[in-house]
Amino acid sequence: MIKEFSSAPSRSSSRVSAAAAVVAMGVGVLVVVGWTFDIIWLRRLPPDPIVMLPNTAVGFMMAGLALWFLRREDAAVNATRIGRVLAAAVLLLGLISFVERVTGLDVGIDRLLFPERVALFPYRPVGLMATNSTICFTLAGASLLTLDLETKRGWRPSQLMATAGLGIATLALVGHLYGASPLYAIDRAAGMALITTLAFMSLLVGLVLARPDRGHVALLTAPDLGALLATRLLKHLRLSLSTAPKANPARSRTAASSAAIRSG
């Protein structure tokens, strides 16, 4: 009975991980369609004026597909190989974009897709995603590549990196909800779009739950009192955040207007 009970959270987490992969892929596809046919409402979520850039959308397509292939420990060999190749591509996208942001180097990958349309937006450098987005992609790619790596002490680097990325995305979401632009726009002319923020949260939650009976995630999914207490603490924390005072609407509109020059 204990074995059956303990397997229930694993099955549920596996479904969440699969759904997260589909959401990440779906968002990426829709945004690319939006750029292809110049449909603005497919590139952003109102009232946020920031759009998701083409290379960011491609990153989500690759990351979501990689998570889909790697979400099962008993995945077929070919599926694992494809997933790791895609994960490496996501890692490279994040690292190259981060280096471009930090050093000013122009590799040119940011203008491979729809350069004329991207140039119409006042995002600088043209087509380059925000710094917090580059870090999230780097962490997501590394997390995908190390999904089944475990230290002698039982730590899972994949879960730690995904959790760190989830923290960055959560800060961006709080910034969007409360009109605190420094939480999602740390660059002078770039910021993580709301649609990008939600896509990262979906992807990274899926990564955290990809191996629910391993690492520190097992503390939340295990069928014991410790897991129950940890889960209730998280619920109380979420409730506290949801009941916190909302930002002044006028201030939020002002922050949104000032963020109109930023990209995700």
Side-chain angles (χ1 to χ4, degrees), residues 222-245:
D224 56 25
L225 182 60
L228 178 62
L229 290 174
T231 303
R232 289 189 174 181
L233 282 173
L234 288 176
K235 287 182 178 179
H236 282 299
L237 177 60
R238 184 175 61 184
L239 180 62
S240 299
L241 289 174
S242 64
T243 56

Side-chain angles (χ1 to χ4, degrees), residues 144-169:
L144 284 162
L145 283 173
T146 59
L147 204 53
D148 292 308
L149 180 65
E150 185 171 313
T151 66
K152 293 181 179 179
R153 296 187 177 183
W155 290 97
R156 289 257 168 166
S158 174
Q159 293 178 350
L160 296 176
M161 289 185 285
T163 302
L166 187 58
I168 294 173

Side-chain angles (χ1 to χ4, degrees), residues 28 52-64 85-101 105 107-113 127-142 144-145 196 200 203 264:
M52 182 188 292
L53 294 169
N55 56 340
T56 306
V58 172
F60 281 121
M61 291 167 62
M62 294 191 298
V85 169
L86 290 168
V90 173
L91 176 60
L92 283 174
L93 174 65
L95 283 176
I96 292 174
S97 300
F98 178 76
V99 170
E100 285 185 308
R101 270 286 170 201
L105 181 69
V107 178
I109 63 172
D110 313 305
R111 298 181 302 280
L112 290 177
L113 297 174
L128 181 58
M129 67 180 78
T131 299
N132 42 3
S133 294
T134 69
I135 296 173
C136 283
F137 271 130
T138 301
L139 291 171
L144 284 162
L145 283 173
T196 305
F200 269 128
L203 173 66

Side-chain angles (χ1 to χ4, degrees), residues 73 139 205 250:
E73 286 188 88
L139 291 171
V205 166

Side-chain angles (χ1 to χ4, degrees), residues 102-124:
V102 173
T103 65
L105 181 69
D106 183 9
V107 178
I109 63 172
D110 313 305
R111 298 181 302 280
L112 290 177
L113 297 174
F114 318 107
E116 296 83 5
R117 290 180 179 175
V118 173
L120 294 176
F121 290 84
Y123 307 146
R124 297 296 179 268

